[in-house]
Amino acid sequence: MSDRPILFAYDGSDHAKAAINQAADQLGNGRRAIVLTVWQPFGAAFVGVGVAPFGLEEGIENDARRVAEEGARLASEAGFDAEPAVERGDPVWQRIVEAADERDVGILVLGSHGRTGMQRVLLGSVAGTVAAHTERPVLITHDVAPDVQQAKAM
């Protein structure tokens, strides 16, 4: 598995940043990594909306590219041989699974936002849905609360 790349699903959130660092601790460094940011077409977020205003999707794609490049830089700093990747897709989880299959990755890494209750019902869980729809290994990381980190250090 170690000769196949790691796929980081990266959205620029603190959870995604923490996932890179936790993966470096768990998986070792020096491995090839693809830092994937998936962006949704304009109408995907708004049911019933027609064509996006001129240039809007291009702007969204450019923002996604900047996010992926930031993630690749962070992964490189954490010791991975990282490259950014940007994909358009809806739903996001499906595009992540497809990209992992297309690139024959060894493991997918995602940071969990830790949604529970109504938030999870309304917003869903990309990490959980990816894990449920792939046969590849998945590492879902969780931010450790500062008080838990402090307790572990004692």
Side-chain angles (χ1 to χ4, degrees):
M1 179 172 73
S2 64
D3 61 328
R4 292 171 29 213
I6 297 168
L7 182 99
F8 289 100
Y10 186 80
D11 64 2
S13 68
D14 289 341
H15 304 285
K17 292 173 184 174
I20 291 171
N21 292 323
Q22 290 179 28
D25 291 342
Q26 298 298 319
L27 303 173
N29 46 16
R31 288 183 60 180
R32 263 184 330 127
I34 300 158
V35 181
L36 175 67
T37 300
V38 177
W39 63 278
Q40 291 180 292
F42 178 74
F46 305 99
V47 177
V49 174
V51 177
F54 180 74
L56 182 62
E57 285 200 359
E58 183 179 320
I60 294 169
E61 183 176 8
N62 288 339
D63 287 344
R65 189 164 317 285
R66 281 190 289 277
V67 169
E69 288 169 356
E70 172 196 64
R73 180 184 51 77
L74 293 173
S76 293
E77 289 171 2
F80 295 100
D81 178 15
E83 64 182 63
V86 176
E87 300 279 344
R88 178 182 194 259
D90 182 47
V92 169
W93 70 264
Q94 185 173 15
R95 189 65 208 124
I96 293 168
V97 170
E98 291 168 351
D101 290 342
E102 291 164 3
R103 292 168 170 87
D104 191 29
V105 302
I107 188 168
L108 292 95
V109 177
L110 300 97
S112 173
H113 288 257
R115 293 187 180 103
T116 59
M118 191 53 78
Q119 264 193 333
R120 185 173 180 135
V121 170
L122 294 174
L123 299 174
S125 167
V126 170
T129 307
V130 165
H133 287 87
T134 186
E135 294 181 13
R136 296 179 187 280
V138 179
L139 173 61
I140 299 174
T141 66
H142 300 273
D143 271 343
V144 178
D147 56 332
V148 173
Q149 286 177 340
Q150 189 175 22
K152 285 183 176 182
M154 295 180 163

